[in-house]
Amino acid sequence: MYKLFVLSFLFITSLLIYAPECAAQVFLSKGKVDQIANASIEYLENVDISIIAINDSSRTIKDDNKLYYEDSTRIISETPPNVIYNRKWYINNYDFNFTWSYEPINATKVAIIDTGISEELLRKKNISPGKNFINETKPPIDDNGHGTALASIIYDISGPYPIEIIPLKSANSKGLLDVSTIIKAIDYAIELDVDIINLSFGAKSPHDLERRALQKAVDSGITVISSVGNSGIEEYYYPAAYDNVLAIGSINQNHVRSSFSTTNDILDFVSPGEKLLVQDYTMLGSTKIVNGTSFSSAYFTGQLAILHTNLLHYSLKQLKTLATDLGIPGYDKEYGNGFIMSDYLLKSLRGKNWETFITSNSMKSWSISLSLPVNPEISLNKYIKIYNGHLQQHPVSIEITDSANLTVTPNSPLAPGEYWLVIDTELQSSKGTKLAQPAIKKIIIN
């Protein structure tokens, strides 16, 4: 990767198809709908969409000033495994011990919109209580198994990292999901300020308000990841095919495309999704084998969450340059831009773990030297910060001592404990170039 700006310190697979409605009529509308006779209306502020439920199935609604969309019901299907496999190759084949050796600085929230999670997983550390959008009076307990499999993959990849998994149950025991329920879950994920949303489902037809809700999530800073589909042929599935979503296909342990993985020109990346040993929801401690792009999507979600905890926030354009190319050289419809491996990226981008500086001076100033003059028009406090051990920001003053040298000083004494001085990749030089990677120094005040 070309380094533009150098800095140093001087100190069961989701495949959704449309199916006929079988309940009271539900309509969706852009914006806020105040009142409709004999209808209940729920306005979702974060996505700016109203959900209108009408008990009279023979009635329709019309307004010259609004366009109403019919709700759609979708169903999860799966690609059964054809072999028994008794080890977690998707963990064992990669150097996660190296990955986990990096001390994380940034907690990460991952929302899984699916069938919920098993009671066993729900009791584990870093698993949020989540929410049940099928029955809001009950916890999001999985009665299908699909959501549990996704959560167990992300949980395994997370290891000791502070990656919070938030199950948002939006499918019933038969795997049916309504677009209106999915939109409610997206709205809630925005409210929770999550970092990543995993959507391991798909349909051949897009839904404009589903796309609109996802764009609201992206605009709020959330990365949305979805499975590309399991047809094994070239076609499009949504939400993966929306341009604001990362579409993930599947490879096996030999880094060869899985035969069921859908191909197309919107495929972004591939990840392991074949013969994966995951937790089952039916019995305490039980496991099962799964195949599908649902699970490669979950794997990619876990990898991206690891990068996020290391303050490695990259755009799609940047991720393309960091992926391991597979298949024919360059982009192709079977592998997209390739495979993201967190151990390889951390070795390349972070090198060794960040340095630790121990001092008793609670008001010590820290000098930063840049290879190019800093952009004088930007707010330096937006990109240069000190965090404490609870990831809370400590106010600092930043002085430009000359065009390429800065001094960072705490506004008040640092209490004894651990801190991190962080320079974000968005810091710009006077020529508009940015850092190729974040710069992080751990500080211990004794």
Side-chain angles (χ1 to χ4, degrees), residues 201-353:
F201 50 77
K204 290 185 179 181
S205 300
H207 194 292
D208 185 60
L209 292 193
E210 179 183 56
R211 180 204 58 77
R212 176 185 173 90
L214 290 172
Q215 187 59 54
K216 291 286 187 179
V218 172
D219 291 344
S220 70
I222 299 172
T223 300
V224 182
I225 298 168
S226 183
S227 50
V228 75
N230 300 317
S231 67
I233 61 176
E234 184 173 348
E235 57 184 349
Y236 299 100
Y237 283 85
Y238 299 86
Y242 296 133
D243 58 8
N244 52 12
V245 175
L246 292 179
I248 311 302
S250 174
I251 53 174
N252 63 22
Q253 61 181 318
N254 297 316
H255 292 179
V256 175
R257 170 184 161 263
S258 301
S259 61
F260 54 77
S261 189
T262 298
T263 64
N264 53 49
D265 58 3
I266 57 88
L267 175 65
D268 290 304
F269 301 98
V270 290
S271 284
E274 193 172 336
K275 303 174 187 174
L276 306 186
L277 183 68
V278 300
Q279 182 172 315
D280 197 3
Y281 78 108
T282 56
M283 186 183 304
L284 186 67
S286 62
T287 58
K288 64 181 180 181
I289 306 298
V290 295
N291 286 337
T293 58
S294 280
F295 312 110
S296 56
S297 176
Y299 190 96
F300 185 87
T301 295
Q303 296 275 57
L304 212 62
I306 284 175
L307 297 184
H308 194 278
T309 62
N310 282 278
L311 292 181
L312 299 176
H313 305 159
Y314 288 95
S315 65
L316 174 59
K317 182 178 180 181
Q318 291 170 313
L319 284 173
K320 288 178 182 179
T321 66
L322 299 169
T324 299
D325 190 26
L326 300 175
I328 62 175
Y331 180 88
D332 62 80
K333 296 179 180 180
E334 294 192 350
Y335 297 93
N337 296 291
F339 178 29
I340 296 288
M341 292 184 283
S342 60
D343 60 325
Y344 170 77
L345 289 184
L346 289 174
K347 289 174 184 175
S348 301
L349 299 173
R350 289 244 43 90
K352 61 181 181 180
N353 278 303

Side-chain angles (χ1 to χ4, degrees), residues 187-198:
D187 180 80
Y188 187 66
I190 296 173
E191 181 181 328
L192 293 180
D193 194 25
V194 305
D195 301 291
I196 301 171
I197 296 176
N198 184 88

Side-chain angles (χ1 to χ4, degrees), residues 137-188:
T137 65
K138 295 183 178 181
I141 301 303
D142 194 353
D143 47 10
N144 175 280
H146 191 263
T148 297
L150 301 176
S152 71
I153 291 169
I154 298 172
Y155 183 83
D156 286 343
I157 289 173
S158 299
Y161 268 34
I163 296 173
E164 180 183 359
I165 298 172
I166 305 171
L168 302 180
K169 181 176 173 60
S170 305
N172 61 20
S173 61
K174 297 180 180 179
L176 295 171
L177 300 93
D178 294 332
V179 168
S180 58
T181 308
I182 296 168
I183 289 174
K184 285 183 182 181
I186 295 169
D187 180 80
Y188 187 66

